[in-house]
Amino acid sequence: MKTYDWIVVGGGITGAALAYELAKTGFSVLLLEQYSRPQNATRYSYGGLAYWSANTPLTRQLCEEAIARYHILSQELDADIEFRELDLLLTISAANDPEATAASYNDFAIPPRLLSVQEACELEPQLNREAISGALTVKHGHIHPEKTAKAYIQAFERAGGEMQITQVLQVLQDGVKTTTATFHSANVVICAGGLSRQLLKSASIPIKLYFTHAEIIETPSVDVQLRTLVMPANVQRFKLEAESTQVDELWNQPGNEPVPPILDAGAIQFQDGSFRIGQISRVLTDPHAKINSEVSEKWLRRSVGEVLPALENLAGTWHHCLVAFSSDRLALIGTIPGFESVYLFSGFSNPLVIIPPLAKRFANFASGKEDEIIIQLSLHR
């Protein structure tokens, strides 16, 4: 049976980008994904590229590399990934102080500009002026995430990579066992997002990677026009992630909910006129937990409707996926202690920005070149 240099588990943008870069570097690579159309965080992402939000030397360097990468990516992958720049509008609720909120962004690479209520409504006419005390704005990159992942996979296959649709059941020291076969490789890299922790647990590999259940509403193309990408300035998700990782032992049992759910009300309209409206973040330690979609959808619609009334009753479908994160908002990249042929490439904050440069760096690192950034993101840190 053929033995690959690398098996990449997960066909979202993380696995797709990494598989492509590894194949381009000259490795024999097998990419495994369980669905013909993945139902993952890439599929339901807003597609935002927050280059401006870098606030450390590490993230600034990666954001600069990402800007350069995205400007040539469509041409390199020979596909339209719908890369563009638009206005991001960060709404400040009526209960919050605009000046204090603006100050909390001062250490970012490009601090957003504070707008009055009138200025915010001129930039985005769909806003409910009664719901806000102001807003922040900054130029924001944007792609179609699903088309970008697909473009990476097509380029990967053109570079000689192989892909199979099959579910990975167990990670082995020399490959993986799936529902259809056992595949052998010198190295395995897990890019399965929120399923990564459970998948590695099946091989008795403990990792401190976590996940939220993210919930959105997706609409077909509609006549309503949104000029900007709208999100709250006071995002609750990062606080939720930090609080939910305080006691790692809670994550070893599937029935726990370490912290209550939160809702960050926002919306993006894609170039075809469709919307993604969200999002609820729910911390349930069972990746297969059942969620009451009817209750969630009502909460989502009501909350988004307070800020963007025209979107509240748009026809659309509730969706849910897992979003992986680490305890310190830094990605987890590298070999797993005690399992030197098994690697993790997951847990990204600002994922769509930093995955392309990190995938390129990882492939070079795998070929024997030193890389200070990959080392900084090691699981040994």
Side-chain angles (χ1 to χ4, degrees), residues 236 240 243-244 257-263 280-283 299:
Q236 301 176 71
L240 171 112
E243 291 178 352
S244 68
E257 186 173 11
V259 294
I262 60 92
L263 196 158
I280 295 171
S281 295
R282 198 180 295 274
V283 180
W299 184 24

Side-chain angles (χ1 to χ4, degrees), residues 93-322:
S93 74
N96 288 335
D97 175 47
E99 298 288 346
T101 301
S104 69
Y105 284 81
N106 283 345
D107 63 341
F108 286 9
I110 304 172
R113 181 167 56 92
L114 180 59
L115 302 177
S116 67
V117 172
Q118 180 63 31
E119 289 170 328
C121 292
E122 287 172 0
L123 185 62
E124 181 48 74
Q126 300 293 354
L127 277 178
N128 172 18
R129 63 172 54 246
E130 302 302 322
I132 63 172
S133 60
L136 302 172
T137 189
V138 66
K139 292 296 181 182
H140 196 68
H142 190 257
I143 57 169
H144 192 295
E146 191 176 15
K147 289 183 178 180
T148 305
K150 186 176 180 180
Y152 264 123
I153 290 170
Q154 290 172 340
F156 159 70
E157 291 177 324
R158 289 196 299 270
E162 298 175 39
M163 182 177 184
Q164 294 217 20
I165 304 299
T166 184
Q167 183 182 359
V168 175
L169 300 176
Q170 190 173 3
V171 179
L172 310 172
Q173 283 284 10
D174 63 343
V176 297
K177 180 182 178 183
T178 77
T179 48
T180 55
T182 297
F183 297 98
H184 298 276
S185 65
N187 304 283
V188 176
V189 57
I190 307 299
C191 305
L195 291 171
S196 299
R197 184 182 178 109
Q198 183 189 49
L199 184 57
L200 288 166
K201 188 179 179 183
S202 70
S204 300
I205 301 175
I207 55 167
K208 292 190 175 182
L209 181 71
Y210 311 94
F211 53 86
T212 55
H213 293 253
E215 305 168 47
I216 65 137
I217 295 169
E218 185 178 51
T219 81
S221 178
V222 295
D223 291 333
V224 176
Q225 294 292 311
L226 199 66
R227 293 182 185 174
T228 62
L229 192 164
V230 177
M231 291 178 64
N234 300 99
V235 176
Q236 301 176 71
R237 180 169 61 87
F238 300 127
K239 183 181 178 185
L240 171 112
E241 291 177 356
E243 291 178 352
S244 68
T245 61
Q246 296 299 308
V247 183
D248 184 70
E249 291 75 19
L250 289 175
W251 289 84
N252 294 327
Q253 300 298 326
N256 290 322
E257 186 173 11
V259 294
I262 60 92
L263 196 158
D264 289 318
I268 177 63
Q269 187 169 34
F270 284 80
Q271 291 187 14
D272 66 358
S274 65
F275 276 91
R276 287 186 193 152
I277 300 167
Q279 85 178 26
I280 295 171
S281 295
R282 198 180 295 274
V283 180
L284 301 170
T285 57
D286 180 358
H288 306 292
K290 299 297 181 187
I291 294 170
N292 188 324
S293 60
E294 188 176 337
V295 171
S296 285
E297 184 170 343
K298 286 180 180 177
W299 184 24
L300 250 176
R301 288 184 177 279
R302 184 176 66 251
S303 298
V304 172
E306 289 173 4
V307 182
L308 298 163
L311 307 190
E312 182 170 358
N313 297 312
L314 288 179
T317 307
W318 175 91
H319 293 283
H320 140 265
C321 65
L322 301 181

